[in-house]
């Protein structure tokens, strides 16, 4: 059982719980330190080692490995035709987000050109009729998706789309992820932190809680994608009843966080949910560690730990 439960996002199939804890914990301690709580930060991570506050990663990336394949990760080509339609719709939504608010003007222009080329009639009226591969190729042309080059962007987009789609459409995958999260939650758990696809998983996990949770923290969350994610959630579109505080953090440049203000979408009569999209997470705006180091993250964790 853990005081803080961490849940990663998409594209982590080559990692492990241990490797992600080793990356996340120093970043989280840094956020707490930046928020003015150095003693608490030392209890999370100090001198290259975890402190006395138990923080564990609920790892599920291995569920998306393709055995015997170079690179190892499942791709959109591994999905059923129905799943490929959803993956394509997600890719189109990422292009639309890029057209509207990508930080680089060249990306906004490129997204517009790609949407126009893929459109059945006119820009902004595209149905989900284009095959997945042209949409993936279009994403790979955006610098937002390609900080390490087009080949990386194609792999990242392909595998990320496949993973999000499988999580949303396969009950067995969702159930296994939920069981792995639940295995780390106990009476002493004070915070659950979910990044990217992990934020969807922790929202669902929070609805299953039987005891109070001081903090649900979601980072770079796609929960607000209406027809693609939000409308597919079987849970009530409310703040989970056992959650005492829900903090949702996002960077305006993070295209995965399509809807920045979740307060508009989730019923919150207790005033528990707060969204903050003033973060600046730098050149890789969706990167988990960039969210974890921010004082807003640290302050939320410090409040939960008391």
């Amino acid at each position: 059982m853990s005081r803080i439960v961490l849940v990663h996002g998409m594209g982590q199939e080559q990692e492990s719980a241990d490797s992600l804890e080793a990356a996340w914990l120093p970043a989280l301690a840094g956020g707490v330190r930046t928020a003015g709580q150095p003693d608490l930060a030392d209890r999370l991570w100090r001198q290259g080692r975890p402190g006395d506050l138990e923080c564990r990663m609920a790892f599920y990336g291995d569920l998306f490995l393709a055995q015997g394949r170079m690179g190892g990760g499942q791709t959109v080509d591994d999905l059923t035709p129905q799943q490929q339609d959803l993956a394509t719709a997600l890719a189109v939504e990422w292009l639309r987000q890029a057209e509207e608010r990508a930080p680089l003007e060249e990306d906004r222009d490129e997204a517009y050109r790609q949407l126009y080329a893929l459109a059945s009639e006119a820009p902004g009226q595209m149905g989900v009729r284009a095959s997945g591969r042209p949409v993936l190729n279009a994403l790979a042309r955006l610098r937002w998706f390609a900080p390490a080059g087009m080949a990386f962007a194609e792999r990242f987009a392909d595998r990320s789309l496949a993973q999000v789609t499988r999580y949303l459409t396969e009950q067995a995958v969702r159930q296994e992820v939920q069981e792995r999260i639940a295995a780390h939650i106990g009476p002493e758990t004070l915070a659950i932190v979910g990044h990217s696809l992990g934020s969807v998983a922790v929202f669902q996990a929070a609805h299953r809680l039987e005891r109070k949770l001081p903090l649900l923290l979601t980072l770079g969350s796609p929960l607000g994608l209406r027809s693609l994610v939000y409308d597919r959630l079987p849970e009530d579109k409310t703040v989970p009843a056992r959650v005492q505080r829900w903090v949702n953090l996002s960077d305006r440049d993070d295209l995965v966080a399509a809807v920045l203000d979740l307060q508009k979408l989730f019923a919150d009569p207790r005033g528990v949910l707060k969204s903050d999209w003033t973060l600046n997470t730098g050149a890789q705006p969706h990167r988990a560690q960039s969210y974890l180091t921010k004082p807003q993250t640290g302050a939320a964790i410090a409040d939960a730990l008391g």
Side-chain angles (χ1 to χ4, degrees):
M1 304 303 172
S2 177
R3 291 288 186 93
I4 302 175
V5 178
L6 310 170
V7 185
H8 64 84
M10 55 197 181
Q12 304 301 314
E13 66 276 0
Q14 297 297 341
E15 299 293 341
S16 68
D18 299 273
S19 66
L20 289 175
E21 285 174 12
W24 281 40
L25 283 178
L28 182 60
V32 172
R33 196 178 307 279
T34 303
Q37 300 290 337
D39 292 339
L40 182 58
D42 286 347
R43 297 185 63 194
L44 290 167
W45 185 270
R46 185 63 176 165
Q47 295 180 338
R49 300 185 64 180
D52 65 289
L53 285 173
E54 183 81 359
C55 302
R56 299 305 302 271
M57 176 67 67
F59 180 71
Y60 61 88
D62 58 299
L63 299 178
F64 303 114
L65 281 171
Q67 299 301 323
R69 175 182 299 164
M70 183 178 297
Q74 295 172 342
T75 69
V76 171
D77 292 336
D78 297 312
L79 304 178
T80 68
Q82 293 76 18
Q83 289 176 319
Q84 288 178 358
D85 286 344
L86 175 58
T88 300
L90 284 166
V92 170
E93 183 58 35
W94 280 353
L95 277 175
R96 286 176 174 151
Q97 292 296 323
E99 181 189 13
E100 292 177 6
R101 59 187 180 92
L104 295 175
E105 183 178 0
E106 63 189 89
D107 272 359
R108 295 194 296 273
D109 292 343
E110 182 65 24
Y112 175 86
R113 286 192 291 270
Q114 295 301 326
L115 284 169
Y116 186 89
L118 293 167
S120 55
E121 296 181 10
Q125 299 178 3
M126 179 180 175
V128 187
R129 301 198 323 183
S131 67
R133 191 55 51 189
V135 179
L136 289 174
N137 293 340
L139 287 174
R141 291 186 177 92
L142 303 184
R143 289 185 60 185
W144 193 95
F145 285 96
M150 183 176 291
F152 171 85
E154 289 176 347
R155 290 194 301 272
F156 172 80
D158 202 349
R159 293 172 187 177
S160 296
L161 288 166
Q163 291 173 20
V164 174
T165 299
R166 287 197 61 206
Y167 183 85
L168 293 174
T169 59
E170 296 182 21
Q171 174 63 28
V173 171
R174 289 196 304 276
Q175 184 61 33
E176 179 63 24
V177 173
Q178 290 301 315
E179 290 177 1
R180 295 186 185 191
I181 295 172
H184 293 294
I185 298 174
E188 66 272 38
T189 300
L190 299 176
I192 304 177
V193 182
H195 171 249
S196 187
L197 177 58
S199 72
V200 180
V202 299
F203 169 80
Q204 296 184 298
H207 269 285
R208 299 183 177 194
L209 292 174
E210 297 180 355
R211 56 178 58 87
K212 290 182 179 180
L213 177 72
L215 175 66
L216 176 66
L217 178 59
T218 50
L219 310 172
S221 177
L223 274 166
L225 276 175
R226 292 302 298 255
S227 62
L228 304 177
V229 177
Y230 179 86
D231 291 340
R232 291 176 176 271
L233 296 171
E235 292 79 14
D236 292 337
K237 309 306 189 292
T238 62
V239 174
R242 301 293 184 181
V243 171
Q244 296 178 295
R245 187 182 183 208
W246 179 3
V247 176
N248 179 65
L249 301 177
S250 52
D251 183 329
R252 286 183 178 275
D253 292 343
D254 186 350
L255 305 184
V256 175
V259 176
L260 302 175
D261 186 2
L262 296 185
Q263 293 172 248
K264 300 177 181 179
L265 296 176
F266 293 90
D268 182 22
R270 295 176 290 144
V272 169
L273 170 58
K274 302 298 180 185
S275 286
D276 182 351
W277 52 91
T278 64
L279 281 73
N280 181 350
T281 52
Q284 296 181 356
H286 190 60
R287 183 173 176 263
Q289 291 92 314
S290 298
Y291 275 106
L292 293 167
T293 58
K294 296 300 173 287
Q296 295 94 325
T297 301
I301 291 294
D303 287 345
L305 297 181

